[in-house]
Amino acid sequence: MRVYLRPRLLVVDEVGYLPLDPLAANLFFRLVSARYEKGSMILTSNKNIGEWGELMGDPVLATAVLDRLLHHCHVVNIRGNSYRLKDKIKTGIYSTPGAQVGQFYSVAGGSNEFRR
Amino acid sequence: MIELEQARHRLEELGLAQAAQSPDAILEAASRGQSTDLSFLNELLEAEFQERQRRNVEVRMKLAHLPYRHTLREFDFAFQPGIDDRLIRELASLAFIGRQENVLLDCRSISFRWPNRWRFAEGVRGEPAGQADEGVPETASSCGG
């Protein structure tokens, strides 16, 4: 645990790529909880915040995690085409769907939305 | 000149390689300008410090084994108008680390639409052909950043 607490910034990539089993979910909670207001984290996820309950297999635990994560948090919503396809779209190989921009939720809104 | 050589030698012995390379240049600048002894010393140490920091970053980048080196400067914000570039630049200053804040990059990027002429083949790609016509399949493709 100390390994993950020592750095001032911890990057967790692809949260939600695989569902967490109960032990993993518990450990993840302990990690977030231990870093809460002590060290920053950057998380990337392709799951809606509302889906974290499913992802962690326990909505209560997920709420507790998100509560701590989102308390002091900048949420960056990335919508639109995958940047990796940028060049291909430009050359017209793929058509672009109307970008679904918007859906910004503020920090507080994010966690409330989840609790509803 | 001998004094300069001595200074250079001492700096090298102490492992201040960058400072050892440039004391004459900094000395010259100092004699032309109106720098005090203290500011001269600071400049010399600053040169060493910056070089070390640069090398440190370089080594860490190498150790990280990142497949590509993308920088924010290259990023085309026009491609992803949903992203607030001011927010990104503000985050890039890393001020949030000092405040122990978090960043959540929620990147459910919409998977691209296959052009009409390819759509018949979508069954092969595991997507229901009918759904793709209207709206955008929410199956997340790789994240944009």
Side-chain angles (χ1 to χ4, degrees), chain A residues 8-9 37-49 52 68-70 72-86 89-90 93-95 97-101 103-105, chain B residues 74-77 79-84 87-88 90-91 94 96-119 136 138 140-145:
Chain A
R8 294 180 65 199
L9 173 65
E37 294 193 329
K38 294 210 177 65
S40 296
M41 290 174 83
I42 294 181
L43 298 108
T44 78
S45 174
N46 51 28
K47 281 272 192 298
N48 192 319
I49 290 172
W52 280 40
R68 283 163 181 74
L69 268 184
L70 298 175
H72 312 287
C73 186
H74 305 269
V75 180
V76 182
N77 283 294
I78 304 170
R79 299 289 180 274
N81 293 296
S82 167
Y83 196 79
R84 294 193 184 101
L85 296 169
K86 174 172 167 277
I89 286 165
K90 283 213 165 143
I93 295 175
Y94 302 126
S95 59
Q100 272 183 9
V101 185
Q103 233 197 327
F104 291 91
Y105 27 95
Chain B
E74 299 162 9
F75 188 81
D76 181 6
F77 283 99
F79 180 77
Q80 232 126 32
I83 301 178
D84 180 2
L87 172 64
I88 300 298
E90 146 73 19
L91 291 176
L94 300 183
F96 71 95
I97 295 180
R99 298 191 296 262
Q100 286 90 41
E101 292 172 344
N102 300 319
V103 177
L104 178 63
L105 299 170
D106 182 357
C107 41
R108 270 172 300 150
S109 61
I110 303 155
S111 51
F112 50 86
R113 255 188 185 181
W114 295 97
N116 269 327
R117 60 182 183 282
W118 291 356
R119 211 158 271 168
V136 186
E138 267 287 321
S141 69
S142 47
C143 114

Side-chain angles (χ1 to χ4, degrees), chain B:
Chain B
M1 208 53 200
I2 284 175
E3 238 179 343
L4 180 63
E5 283 307 309
Q6 257 178 358
R8 203 194 294 273
H9 188 65
R10 296 272 143 76
L11 287 169
E12 262 168 19
E13 289 282 289
L14 287 168
L16 304 172
Q18 180 63 29
Q21 268 176 28
S22 54
D24 31 354
I26 295 175
L27 257 182
E28 210 184 290
S31 66
R32 267 192 280 109
Q34 291 159 338
S35 63
T36 60
D37 294 354
L38 198 59
S39 70
F40 163 71
L41 186 63
N42 268 330
E43 257 167 65
L44 195 67
L45 292 175
E46 175 71 22
E48 178 69 28
F49 177 73
Q50 281 198 345
E51 172 61 19
R52 281 189 184 199
Q53 211 167 32
R54 195 192 60 75
R55 237 181 304 155
N56 204 338
V57 169
E58 203 62 39
V59 168
R60 279 162 186 253
M61 286 296 271
K62 228 172 254 171
L63 286 177
H65 294 295
L66 299 177
Y68 301 103
R69 205 163 168 167
H70 293 299
T71 64
L72 273 180
R73 210 168 299 161
E74 299 162 9
F75 188 81
D76 181 6
F77 283 99
F79 180 77
Q80 232 126 32
I83 301 178
D84 180 2
D85 56 336
R86 274 206 332 221
L87 172 64
I88 300 298
R89 279 181 236 282
E90 146 73 19
L91 291 176
S93 73
L94 300 183
F96 71 95
I97 295 180
R99 298 191 296 262
Q100 286 90 41
E101 292 172 344
N102 300 319
V103 177
L104 178 63
L105 299 170
D106 182 357
C107 41
R108 270 172 300 150
S109 61
I110 303 155
S111 51
F112 50 86
R113 255 188 185 181
W114 295 97
N116 269 327
R117 60 182 183 282
W118 291 356
R119 211 158 271 168
F120 66 92
E122 268 170 17
V124 184
R125 296 198 175 87
E127 278 179 49
Q131 187 202 335
D133 213 25
E134 197 51 48
V136 186
E138 267 287 321
T139 42
S141 69
S142 47
C143 114

